[in-house]
């Protein structure tokens, strides 16, 4: 489909900075084919025109760590300690889920993400088939990571075998890619992690893992293995393949150096970490060490939202507050963590508005109080916007929401299915 976004303010990269200027953007099929210059073979009369008056175009946000199906568990495990939350509340609900519950839960999460300008998510879960079905329908871009837990070096591990088979099902959809998702050091023995790393290496797959999320995890790791969770993952060979590590809250200086030296991308999840009482990741320190820091919401059972604007707000505020230094992280770094850094970590040709890149864009209204006046729009994106400004979303060159109306998902049906599922599960 040909699309022209005419004469809109847009956030474009210029060297290491993002600069806002007025541009016309041309989209053909799945790509941005021109910025200001109409390509010779582009027939504008056949194109869908989007008027850019009072609009801001941004690269679609990349939610680099979540569990979308858990949106059906929103607000049912609150104000609990991390281990109590996970083992006594979330795990028992997981045990009762039917496969289609994950499908509807994922769609619910995706509605919230599209409505707040997210175009890509990196998902860890055990329901690949259901999630890939939901992604095919919603039009979102996703990296699907099968959650894996185990103790032994077992190449016939049932979850791993299922993961490899289910990945094949999704291969034909260009918006889908796959990684292996060993859950965490406290649910994966060293031999099992070594096996997952070996399989990832052989199959050319990346890894997505939770690391150093809580004090309890770090204390138990010290007691049982006399190392940090980062050192544990390093010695299992996890960092020998492209790895995305979620959380990384409890880090030593040596841990930060290990992550930097091995080009591990770290996803920070400020809302989830605060809500579960896990503390604050050393984000300014990781950025200073050259680590590619991305931003994620984590699942709605711990956040309890899938809204990257809310997350950008937290990321920009908490480190200024905890470091008592307003300069330690600024709007430009926060915006990059929510866009290009996530795309880089996931190996995607998205995350910025550039000719030749995949057309994953969100268009925000500027004629709303949160964005008015339009003094510094990059600051507005991080400090003022709440996601409700998102008006139109384009993913892979396809309009999935226009004028606030979702084009790909029947919202009422999803809400009705979620209501009956929650009543069946007694939530
Ligand atoms: Ni998580």
């Amino acid at each position: 489909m040909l699309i022209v976004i005419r004469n809109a303010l847009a956030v474009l990269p210029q060297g290491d900075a993002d600069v806002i200027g007025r541009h016309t953007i041309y989209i053909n099929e799945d790509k941005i084919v021109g910025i200001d210059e109409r390509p010779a073979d582009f027939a504008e009369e056949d194109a869908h025109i989007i008027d850019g008056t009072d609009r801001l175009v941004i690269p679609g946000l990349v939610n680099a760590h979540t569990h979308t199906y858990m949106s059906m568990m929103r607000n049912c495990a609150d104000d609990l300690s991390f281990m109590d939350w996970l083992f006594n509340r979330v795990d028992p609900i997981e045990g009762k889920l039917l496969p289609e519950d994950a499908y509807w839960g994922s769609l619910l999460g995706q509605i919230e993400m599209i409505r707040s300008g997210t175009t890509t998510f990196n998902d860890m879960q055990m329901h690949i088939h259901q999630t890939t079905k939901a992604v095919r329908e919603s039009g979102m871009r996703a990296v699907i990571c099968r959650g894996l837990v185990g103790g032994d070096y077992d190449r016939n591990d049932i979850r791993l075998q299922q993961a490899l088979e289910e990945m094949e099902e999704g291969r034909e959809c260009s918006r889908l890619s796959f990684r292996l998702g060993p859950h965490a050091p406290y649910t994966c023995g060293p031999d099992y992690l070594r096996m997952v790393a070996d399989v990832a290496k052989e199959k050319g797959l990346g890894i997505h893992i939770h690391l150093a999320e809580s004090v309890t995890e770090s204390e138990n790791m010290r007691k049982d293995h006399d190392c940090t969770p980062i050192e544990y993952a390093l010695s299992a060979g996890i960092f020998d393949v492209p790895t995305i590590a979620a959380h990384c809250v409890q880090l030593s200086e040596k841990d930060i150096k290990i992550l930097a030296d091995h080009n591990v991308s770290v996803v920070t999840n400020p809302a989830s970490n605060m809500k579960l009482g896990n503390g604050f990741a050393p984000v300014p320190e990781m950025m200073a060490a050259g680590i590619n820091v991305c931003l994620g919401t984590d699942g709605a059972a711990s956040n309890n939202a899938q809204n990257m604007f809310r997350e950008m707000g937290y990321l920009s505020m908490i480190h200024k507050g905890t470091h008592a230094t307003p300069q330690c992280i600024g709007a430009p770094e926060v915006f990059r963590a929510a866009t290009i850094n996530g795309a880089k970590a996931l190996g995607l040709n998205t995350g910025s508005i550039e000719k030749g890149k995949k057309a994953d864009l969100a268009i925000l209204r500027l004629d709303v109080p949160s964005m008015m006046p339009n003094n510094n729009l990059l600051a507005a994106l991080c400090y003022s916007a709440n996601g409700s400004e998102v008006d139109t979303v384009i993913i892979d060159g396809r309009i999935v929401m226009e004028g606030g109306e979702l084009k790909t998902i029947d919202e009422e049906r999803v809400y009705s299915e979620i209501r009956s599922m929650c009543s069946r599960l007694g939530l």
Side-chain angles (χ1 to χ4, degrees):
M1 186 183 186
L2 299 175
I3 301 171
V4 181
I5 307 168
R6 193 176 275 160
N7 207 23
L9 289 173
V11 183
L12 263 59
Q14 205 172 84
D16 288 339
D18 287 306
V19 176
I20 295 174
R22 198 164 282 285
H23 301 283
T24 293
I25 298 166
Y26 297 90
I27 296 165
N28 188 14
E29 294 184 350
D30 58 341
K31 289 201 175 64
I32 298 167
V33 293
I35 297 172
D36 296 327
E37 260 179 74
R38 190 177 82 174
D41 57 348
F42 194 100
E44 202 162 312
E45 52 275 21
D46 298 335
H48 182 94
I49 309 284
I50 296 173
D51 178 14
T53 309
D54 283 329
R55 295 290 183 270
L56 174 67
V57 190
I58 64 169
L61 304 175
V62 178
N63 185 350
H65 175 70
T66 187
H67 314 270
T68 50
Y69 75 98
M70 292 178 101
S71 287
M72 43 75 57
M73 291 186 215
R74 194 197 308 273
N75 302 321
C76 70
D78 299 300
D79 310 325
L80 301 170
S81 72
F82 177 57
M83 294 297 173
D84 198 13
W85 169 86
L86 179 60
F87 293 114
N88 298 328
R89 189 65 184 148
V90 171
D91 274 358
I93 299 171
E94 296 253 11
K96 288 193 261 174
L97 290 187
L98 301 174
E100 59 263 35
D101 296 341
Y103 165 78
W104 294 110
S106 180
L107 278 180
L108 176 61
Q110 292 183 55
I111 291 172
E112 190 182 2
M113 285 194 277
I114 293 171
R115 286 204 163 283
S116 50
T118 293
T119 52
T120 295
F121 63 99
N122 182 29
D123 211 39
M124 188 192 287
Q125 32 79 17
M126 293 164 299
H127 313 276
I128 293 188
H129 179 73
Q130 304 298 329
T131 312
T132 55
K133 180 170 172 242
V135 169
R136 275 202 195 91
E137 293 171 11
S138 72
M140 286 195 79
R141 194 180 302 286
V143 179
I144 309 289
C145 313
R146 174 62 141 91
L148 301 166
V149 295
D152 302 324
Y153 195 107
D154 176 10
R155 302 290 289 243
N156 298 316
D157 177 72
I158 180 96
R159 286 179 185 233
L160 176 69
Q161 290 313 317
Q162 278 173 358
L164 296 174
E165 283 163 25
E166 285 167 334
M167 282 176 194
E168 288 308 314
E169 286 177 33
R171 290 248 179 250
E172 88 292 354
C173 177
S174 65
R175 288 179 285 103
L176 283 167
S177 50
F178 297 89
R179 287 184 168 233
L180 294 178
H183 173 257
Y186 56 90
T187 49
C188 295
D191 294 338
Y192 188 81
L193 270 192
R194 164 74 57 195
M195 183 273 292
V196 173
D198 287 349
V199 172
K201 221 179 292 177
E202 283 167 27
K203 304 270 182 194
L205 294 165
I207 281 179
H208 177 195
I209 186 169
H210 298 94
L211 284 180
E213 182 172 1
S214 71
V215 171
T216 309
E217 175 188 345
S218 293
E219 285 176 352
N220 290 344
M221 185 57 62
R222 179 61 61 197
K223 213 164 39 193
D224 297 340
H225 299 278
D226 196 27
C227 65
T228 68
I230 304 299
E231 291 164 354
Y232 182 84
L234 172 72
S235 65
I238 291 292
F239 301 154
D240 296 344
V241 295
T243 292
I244 296 177
H247 302 299
C248 296
V249 178
Q250 304 296 328
L251 297 183
S252 66
E253 273 179 35
K254 187 177 162 203
D255 287 336
I256 292 178
K257 187 163 183 339
I258 292 171
L259 294 169
D261 287 349
H262 291 81
N263 293 318
V264 176
S265 288
V266 171
V267 187
T268 189
N269 307 275
S272 171
N273 296 153
M274 286 193 285
K275 182 151 182 293
L276 289 169
N278 285 330
F280 307 105
V283 169
E285 292 79 1
M286 284 193 276
M287 285 180 167
I291 293 172
N292 182 43
V293 179
C294 328
L295 186 62
T297 57
D298 210 353
S302 65
N303 184 311
N304 301 356
Q306 299 290 287
N307 181 334
M308 287 285 285
F309 281 95
R310 183 177 182 258
E311 217 62 37
M312 281 197 282
Y314 283 133
L315 178 60
S316 53
M317 296 295 180
I318 62 173
H319 299 293
K320 294 174 192 292
T322 52
H323 289 71
T325 307
Q327 295 87 354
C328 72
I329 183 166
E333 292 88 52
V334 169
F335 186 69
R336 291 217 153 192
T339 54
I340 189 73
N341 294 4
K344 268 190 214 159
L346 297 169
L348 300 172
N349 185 27
T350 64
S352 59
I353 302 176
E354 290 176 84
K355 191 175 160 186
K357 281 217 168 184
K358 295 274 188 185
D360 286 15
L361 307 168
I363 306 176
L364 281 71
R365 292 182 64 150
L366 295 178
D367 55 348
V368 290
S370 54
M371 302 301 275
M372 189 67 70
N374 311 151
N375 286 335
N376 178 344
L377 288 173
L378 210 52
L381 288 168
C382 297
Y383 304 132
S384 315
N386 56 51
S388 68
E389 303 82 359
V390 176
D391 176 80
T392 294
V393 174
I394 298 170
I395 306 174
D396 211 40
R398 177 185 182 195
I399 298 173
V400 298
M401 182 169 86
E402 188 167 24
E405 191 192 324
L406 280 180
K407 302 286 185 190
T408 53
I409 307 175
D410 179 349
E411 279 181 272
E412 288 312 315
R413 172 86 199 275
V414 174
Y415 302 150
S416 150
E417 294 288 345
I418 293 289
R419 279 187 210 106
S420 52
M421 178 198 315
C422 287
S423 107
R424 192 191 79 236
L425 292 168
L427 298 175

